[in-house]
């Protein structure tokens, strides 16, 4: 089978090449082409679908923060879970993440919701679904993305060690089954959405993550933005 031309960082391309050659991945591409042909707007824009991979190479991953699907409002999604580009107001879940960082580490609450700085430090900001139809949350559920991102999680679990997985909410916590907890660290908490934030606050996942990294002789994450 001819190698597909996927625009993704080289280390991830090598790790995931078998997935790109699977029939289900061709079906994902076909589905997205049909969506666009029908006049639907897809988020994030094409060049940002694999942004989490392009900003955090496979061998640089230290932390994984798992989200569900991209934001479905104009200008919000740019391929990183929970993150929004500069100039976009942080959505409620992200605002609550910033509140917890402030309470945990006493860092100022940033004005920008752009988490690219985390990605550059080895925080893999992975959504289980990598695309969404505009104004229609979870609309690309069951088109194949979860099979792909499950393979991503499995690849990290089997080929790396000492990764800190932050699993917030029931959906993310179901992915624990894909993680070798003997090789990795799993921290679980409620989702930071306004519906469950009262149970998310106080989890101290950001200081706990840095304590784990320091024990492993790795640089801690600078969780500040500005």
């Amino acid at each position: 089978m001819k190698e597909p031309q996927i625009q993704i960082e080289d280390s991830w391309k090598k790790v995931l090449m078998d997935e790109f050659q699977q029939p289900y991945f061709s079906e994902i591409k076909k589905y997205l082409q049909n969506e666009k042909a029908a006049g639907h707007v897809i988020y994030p824009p094409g060049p940002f679908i694999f942004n989490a991979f392009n900003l955090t190479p496979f061998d640089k991953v230290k932390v994984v923060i798992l989200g569900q699907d991209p934001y479905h409002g104009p200008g919000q999604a740019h391929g990183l879970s929970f993150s929004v580009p500069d100039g976009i107001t942080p959505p409620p879940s992200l605002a609550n993440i910033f509140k917890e960082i402030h309470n945990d580490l006493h860092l100022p609450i940033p004005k920008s919701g752009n988490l690219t700085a985390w990605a550059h430090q080895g925080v893999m900001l992975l959504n289980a679904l990598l695309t969404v139809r505009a104004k229609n949350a979870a609309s690309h559920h069951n088109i194949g993305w979860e099979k792909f991102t499950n393979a991503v999680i499995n690849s990290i679990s089997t080929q790396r060690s000492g990764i800190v997985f932050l699993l917030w909410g029931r959906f993310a916590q179901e992915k624990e089954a894909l993680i070798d907890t003997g090789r990795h660290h799993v921290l679980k908490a409620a989702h930071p959405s306004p519906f469950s934030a009262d149970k998310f606050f106080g989890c101290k996942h950001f200081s706990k993550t840095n304590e784990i990294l320091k024990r492993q002789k790795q640089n801690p994450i600078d969780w500040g933005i500005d």
Side-chain angles (χ1 to χ4, degrees):
M1 183 180 293
K2 184 179 179 181
E3 179 178 320
Q5 296 303 306
I6 303 296
Q7 299 301 311
I8 192 171
E9 190 271 336
D10 283 346
S11 65
W12 280 110
K13 180 176 275 193
K14 291 176 184 175
V15 168
L16 298 172
M17 185 51 64
D18 286 348
E19 300 305 313
F20 295 140
Q21 295 177 341
Q22 295 298 318
Y24 83 85
F25 200 85
S26 296
E27 291 300 314
I28 293 174
K29 292 195 291 184
K30 187 184 301 182
Y31 188 95
L32 296 179
Q33 290 166 353
N34 290 340
E35 285 274 85
K36 292 178 181 178
H40 297 298
V41 175
I42 304 302
Y43 296 134
F48 292 97
I49 290 175
F50 294 107
N51 202 22
F53 302 83
N54 294 332
L55 295 178
T56 312
F58 181 73
D59 60 347
K60 302 296 184 184
V61 175
K62 298 195 289 188
V63 181
V64 176
I65 298 180
L66 188 67
Q68 191 157 357
D69 70 329
Y71 296 122
H72 53 85
Q76 291 181 308
H78 66 144
L80 304 177
S81 62
F82 294 101
S83 180
V84 291
D86 292 325
I88 301 294
T89 301
S93 292
L94 181 55
N96 287 333
I97 291 169
F98 287 156
K99 288 178 185 176
E100 176 60 21
I101 292 172
H102 173 70
N103 293 333
D104 186 11
L105 297 171
H106 310 294
L107 294 173
I109 293 177
K111 296 180 178 65
S112 173
N114 190 335
L115 306 182
T116 296
W118 294 2
H120 283 312
Q121 296 177 75
V123 181
M124 180 79 176
L125 295 162
L126 179 66
N127 278 318
L129 311 179
L130 297 190
T131 58
V132 68
R133 186 191 294 180
K135 301 180 182 179
N136 194 345
S139 48
H140 288 176
H141 176 57
N142 284 337
I143 74 167
W145 278 132
E146 285 171 299
K147 187 170 184 178
F148 176 74
T149 54
N150 282 351
V152 171
I153 296 168
N154 183 66
S155 295
I156 296 172
S157 177
T158 58
Q159 299 180 43
R160 298 290 313 281
S161 60
I163 306 300
V164 184
F165 288 86
L166 304 185
L167 305 183
W168 299 333
R170 182 178 58 82
F171 176 85
Q173 289 166 18
E174 289 173 350
K175 302 297 183 180
E176 185 177 9
L178 301 169
I179 301 166
D180 182 346
T181 55
R183 293 168 59 93
H184 303 284
H185 311 275
V186 174
L187 301 180
K188 294 184 283 189
H191 195 277
S193 82
F195 300 106
S196 52
D198 57 328
K199 297 177 182 177
F200 173 77
F201 293 137
C203 69
K204 297 187 180 296
H205 277 187
F206 306 96
S207 61
K208 289 177 180 178
T209 294
N210 281 349
E211 288 165 6
I212 292 168
L213 294 175
K214 286 187 280 189
R215 286 202 304 269
Q216 296 179 161
K217 310 299 183 188
Q218 294 174 291
N219 291 329
I221 304 299
D222 178 0
W223 295 108
I225 299 297
D226 294 340

